[in-house]
Amino acid sequence: MTVGGAVGLVGAGVAGGTAAGGVVGGGGGVVGGGAVVRGAGTFAGGVAQEHNAAARSAIRNRGSRRMQEEPDLMTDRLVESSGVATQALAPGALYVVATPIGNLADLTVRAWWVLSHVDAIAAEDTRVTRHLLERYHVSLAPARLIAAHEHNERSAAERVLAMLREGLRVALVSDAGTPAISDPGAHIVRAVSAAGLRVIPVPGPSSLAAALSVAGFTHGPALFVGFLPNAARERSSCLQTIAASAAATVLFEAPHRLASTAGALAAVLAPARGVLVARELTKKFETIDNVAAGELVNYVAANEPRGEYVLIVEPAPAEQPAVELDAAARRWLNALADALPPARAAAIAAQATGLARDVLYRELMRGRTADNDESASNP
């Protein structure tokens, strides 16, 4: 890899103790006519202070002064400590690059370096990616920023393949987070792999990992569902799987569908089952709350939906011994279950019989599981 001139990061502090740095280039690094890093700009903590124009200006000024005082920016602490400048970028390879999910300061040094040196970038939304590149002072010719979204992914894959076969380096990015995880990109990745070309992950920000890290589940598997299916039958089947799962289940949801999803989860989960609700992760108005399934609908109603959501349903409790219900309690439960969702049926039956709601819910779900097993063995 040939790098023209010096490229580096200038570490600088921001008022109030926020760590920051400037992405600058003394001449800019160029690979195969690709991206160039030049000028001074924010790199780390300073990006998070988007509302603080004075802080941003101070960072830029400090970066400019250091450029004049220290021509050899390759010795900058971040670049030198990370060793990123010594890592050659393989020609003819697709780099799957994770980008910030909200806080621009979360871009990794390696991701910045790759985006600065590839020959082209395939992006879910070129406008979003252009904004990211501008913030990090990475310039890329318009023709080298390729739209690759759900409506054109097949044709974009052909264009990417053609570039890779010429020995060019291409980065794949989504609007936020890691491409191909509930986002476009999987078809391009498959096409490149099928062609026998290299696919190289550049890990980084992930709402999935971020939410799981604060959920507090000490052990056990995690099941990633992403967005619930739209079709009624597939949606119902998925919800039943979540209700019975011994794994923590991770869902993504958009604000306009949150109320519907909350109602659907409340209908199939035991009322005491926990649901972590993470909103606007890494952003200014980030909220992370643990809510009982029985209170989920009220919680959503009391908190106006905004931004993207990650929901984590805690694992189903270990199987409890069966409880003997008397004939009257069984009749109440079965009659209500014919007309109402399981959680609601158990709640009303509890009021009528004096038995615990969770006990009745477990018995109802155990009965349904037995019925399903019997149907499956007698097609």
Side-chain angles (χ1 to χ4, degrees), residues 19 27 62 75-76 81 114 120 140 182 193-194 208 300 325 330 341 358:
R62 283 195 290 271
T75 60
D76 174 79
S81 299
V114 169
L140 187 72
S182 287
S193 295
L208 168 63
V300 172
L325 301 180
R330 182 69 66 183
D358 288 352

Side-chain angles (χ1 to χ4, degrees), residues 75-160:
T75 60
D76 174 79
R77 287 180 302 172
L78 287 176
V79 172
E80 183 178 10
S81 299
S82 67
V84 68
T86 67
Q87 300 175 17
L89 300 187
L94 177 71
Y95 291 83
V96 182
V97 182
T99 57
I101 60 177
N103 189 327
L104 293 184
D106 288 337
L107 189 71
T108 68
V109 175
R110 185 181 175 211
W112 164 78
W113 188 263
V114 169
L115 293 176
S116 300
H117 291 84
V118 291
D119 303 291
I121 299 174
E124 180 182 1
D125 188 328
T126 57
R127 295 166 299 180
V128 173
T129 300
R130 178 67 71 184
H131 173 69
L132 177 67
L133 297 178
E134 289 174 351
R135 289 300 302 271
Y136 282 89
H137 293 264
V138 176
S139 78
L140 187 72
R144 296 301 179 110
L145 186 57
I146 306 165
H149 46 73
E150 61 179 330
H151 303 297
N152 78 336
E153 195 171 352
R154 291 183 181 277
S155 61
E158 292 301 319
R159 187 174 175 186
V160 168

Side-chain angles (χ1 to χ4, degrees), residues 18-249:
T18 304
V23 177
V24 299
V30 185
V31 176
V36 181
V37 182
R38 57 190 175 193
T42 51
F43 175 73
V47 177
Q49 308 297 325
E50 292 185 1
H51 62 285
N52 192 333
R56 295 202 307 272
S57 178
I59 294 167
R60 286 194 293 268
N61 291 337
R62 283 195 290 271
S64 298
R65 287 196 298 272
R66 182 165 179 182
M67 283 182 64
Q68 297 168 0
E69 297 168 0
E70 185 179 328
D72 188 6
L73 295 176
M74 292 295 283
T75 60
D76 174 79
R77 287 180 302 172
L78 287 176
V79 172
E80 183 178 10
S81 299
S82 67
V84 68
T86 67
Q87 300 175 17
L89 300 187
L94 177 71
Y95 291 83
V96 182
V97 182
T99 57
I101 60 177
N103 189 327
L104 293 184
D106 288 337
L107 189 71
T108 68
V109 175
R110 185 181 175 211
W112 164 78
W113 188 263
V114 169
L115 293 176
S116 300
H117 291 84
V118 291
D119 303 291
I121 299 174
E124 180 182 1
D125 188 328
T126 57
R127 295 166 299 180
V128 173
T129 300
R130 178 67 71 184
H131 173 69
L132 177 67
L133 297 178
E134 289 174 351
R135 289 300 302 271
Y136 282 89
H137 293 264
V138 176
S139 78
L140 187 72
R144 296 301 179 110
L145 186 57
I146 306 165
H149 46 73
E150 61 179 330
H151 303 297
N152 78 336
E153 195 171 352
R154 291 183 181 277
S155 61
E158 292 301 319
R159 187 174 175 186
V160 168
L161 280 170
M163 299 182 77
L164 295 177
R165 287 175 176 136
E166 293 177 8
L168 301 179
R169 304 163 178 86
V170 180
L172 174 66
V173 300
S174 61
D175 288 352
T178 304
I181 300 179
S182 287
D183 266 330
H187 181 81
I188 293 175
V189 169
R190 285 198 305 271
V192 172
S193 295
L197 299 169
R198 287 189 68 184
V199 179
I200 300 174
V202 182
S206 165
S207 55
L208 168 63
L212 280 171
S213 72
V214 295
F217 302 128
T218 56
H219 57 80
L223 171 66
F224 176 62
V225 172
F227 293 95
L228 286 174
N230 288 320
R233 178 174 295 180
E234 288 81 358
R235 185 180 176 89
S236 176
S237 175
C238 186
L239 287 165
Q240 292 299 328
T241 298
I242 293 170
S245 177
T249 305

